[in-house]
Amino acid sequence: MTPKDRFTRLIATTGPISVAQYMAESNARYYDSRDPLGSAGDFITAPEISQMFGELIGLWLADMWDRAGRPAHVHYVELGPGRGTLARDALGAARRFGLTPDVHFVEASSALAALQRGTIPDATWHADLSTIPDDAPLLIVANEFLDALAIRQIVRTPSGWRERMVGLDGDNLVPMAGDRPMDAAVPAAFADAPPGTILEACPAAAAITAELGRRLCVQGGAALVIDYGRAQMASGSTLQALRAHNPVDPFAHPGEADLTAHVDFSVLPEIAQAQGARWLGTVEQGAFLTALGLAARTQALCRAAPAKSAAIEAAAHRLAAPEEMGALFQVMGLCAPGWPPGAGF
Ligand code: SAH
């Protein structure tokens, strides 16, 4: 039975499922069964484009740690570490400044955890943040993690707001409005939006950001959350699916395409600050990497490997140029109340 058959049978038996349940179950199955990254997979991420991405993040962490007084014991925590590439590059750069933290990975996929074990054998793996030690400051990184978490959608119908569901049209999975009224969930600004308007929220991203804020406040430390997303709340579905580097219908290949949604960066700082953490700022990835010295690092790598200069420069351009990843991706910085302001914000 294909993954799509399983979803079809589930919906035929129990009725339409919410977009949130659909996305959560589709991604759980998707990530657990494969390595989705790289040219042979479905999508590519910044650390897989160039070692410079992880190195600059490692330098940012080392700088924060240094100016916070170089605490002797500290934990590096990465959420959704993919192949472990970012961790390898960041920890390598940090080590040159004397920062050698314990390494903790929060990873749901057994396929990716196996790859990570090959890259960073002495890491400790966690299913979620609850088992991360609470005895020392945390240096936290999450790149393209929040966009994979399940979003909830509501849709305006002529008779009010409803949860957006996934139902069946013959053998095809299709989005449709649910039965239960959801008008109470709508922000006042959208109460009279025209039929067809879709609003979305990511309760899991909110819960994780709150926990990061709480941990930073209690234990000390700093966090970088990097993802593509929007700076303001807006209407419209951002649910999308990538397969073999091409966008596909998000309802066509459940469990076999990467489902993501834009991260709503407008709500996250407030959530972390409500837990007592300090918001360092949210800036575009291009500006952040440039401020951390992307150009100098590019030149140094080109000097060390002149034959690869064109590829190294192309990678730097891809990471930072506004028409590539530079403007779409945002970097949100958080830290403990007593920690120093971060470079690049
Ligand atoms: N950060 C990596 C990988 C991004 S892909 C990179 O930049 O290359 C998303 C990652 O988050 C994968 O490692 C995936 O297995 C993990 N992930 C997705 N949903 C998760 C969840 N609910 N809990 C834990 N990990 C999850």
Side-chain angles (χ1 to χ4, degrees), residues 31 37 43 45 47 80-82 106-109 112 143-145 148-149:
Y31 280 109
L37 293 153
F43 61 95
T45 55
V106 176
E107 178 56 70
S109 157
L112 286 172
N143 185 60
E144 289 211 46
F145 172 72
L149 302 180

Side-chain angles (χ1 to χ4, degrees), residues 6 10 135 143 194 196 215 227 235 244 269 294 311 322-323 328:
R6 287 178 200 277
L10 169 73
D135 60 344
N143 185 60
R215 290 291 200 118
D227 226 308
S235 64
L294 179 65
E323 69 276 19
L328 178 60

Side-chain angles (χ1 to χ4, degrees), residues 54 58 76 86-96 99 101 103 105 120:
Y76 173 90
L86 195 168
R88 183 196 64 205
D89 296 336
L91 293 167
R95 196 178 306 122
R96 292 201 290 277
L99 171 59
V103 179
F105 288 157
I120 312 278

Side-chain angles (χ1 to χ4, degrees), residues 143-158:
N143 185 60
E144 289 211 46
F145 172 72
L146 295 185
D147 67 49
L149 302 180
I151 53 159
R152 178 167 201 191
Q153 292 185 328
I154 54 174
V155 56
R156 173 82 202 226
T157 71

